[in-house]
Amino acid sequence: MCAIFFVILVLLSGNSSEVSSLREVSTKNEMEMHQLTRVDGTFSGDPYGTMEKTPLKARAGSVQEVRRPVMFTFYEPIPEELRNTGMDDQSDRMLLQAWEKHWQAAGWQTQVLNLSHAKLHPRFEEYERRLQDVPLNGMDGKGRNVQYNQFCYFRWLAMASVGGGFMSDYDNFPLQFGSGVPNQPQNLQLPNQGRFTVYSVASGSEGAGIPCLMSGSDGEWMRLAFAILRSGEAHARDEKHWTDMFALMDLRHEQGLYIAQNEVLDGRSALFGRHWQENDCHLSQGKRAIHFSHDSVKNSDLSNFVGLSGTAQDRVLVMEAWMRRWREVCQHP
Ligand SMILES: *[C@@H]1O[C@H](CO)[C@@H](O)[C@H](O)[C@H]1NC(C)=O
């Protein structure tokens, strides 16, 4: 998988020397990561070799049977003409492969869910029908991303049907072990006894969760899946556009609906036109991951990444370059 990944990098990027040096350093980082993860007694396998299969029914209670925690993501391809995410198929696939590589190297099993998993849920049809009433027409109301916005809702149901656990967007990458605790791999129990937890909080908000990294038991995923659906239904008249993210942020006022922990670094606070330095490391302290969202890469100052820009194709390269630098600067042996 890695070999394929880097071949794609080279094909896409021609023979720019910045990119070939990136490639060398990424390979080096893989080896470093390899050693890093070996520190953990429970995880001594080759992070890029044979991986255990993720049990579909990896219930919170039976997760002890597997040695690694599971990180799910959701990806369902959308036909080009129905998509307005700023990504093309190849860039999406590259990002997804990089996502798997990084979480696996951080000691997790990864599994990519799609619509078929959501359809396994006994209430899928009801959910699909009720979703018709939720306004998903995009900021400009033109409906250019309806399918994408539907999938963003369905992923919550997909998580409920595979038994719950952790879910990450595939543009969200682990810092060190992705546990938020230095030198400590994620253990196999879900945080907060499986109660629904959102790890990214909108800056300046009072606990408005961003759904890029979350965890919960299957019952909790189901509870939240219907809470965000109801939120969408409640805004059917007053909004042209609603999303699972708006819903989650809006629902912060509902006492006890979910726990918000500020443990994801927003790409915007990490891409600022100069290289990450040692005295920036406090910004990533206690963070599980960094979220290179489309907007954060597109609208940040990337002038320190020579030869790279905020295009879909460069997004994964910006991520790799930032991660390499972060490890060099913040990860003292
Ligand atoms: C959805 O996931 C299943 C199970 O992993 C897989 O067999 C199937 O090919 C996936 N569907 C698509 C469209 O990728």
Side-chain angles (χ1 to χ4, degrees), residues 75-77 111-117:
Y75 176 67
E76 176 72 33
Q111 180 161 359
V112 181
L113 303 178
N114 59 37
L115 196 56
S116 75
H117 300 94

Side-chain angles (χ1 to χ4, degrees), residues 168-182:
S168 162
D169 280 350
Y170 60 90
D171 54 9
N172 190 48
F173 292 84
L175 295 172
Q176 221 205 16
F177 287 109
S179 67
V181 184

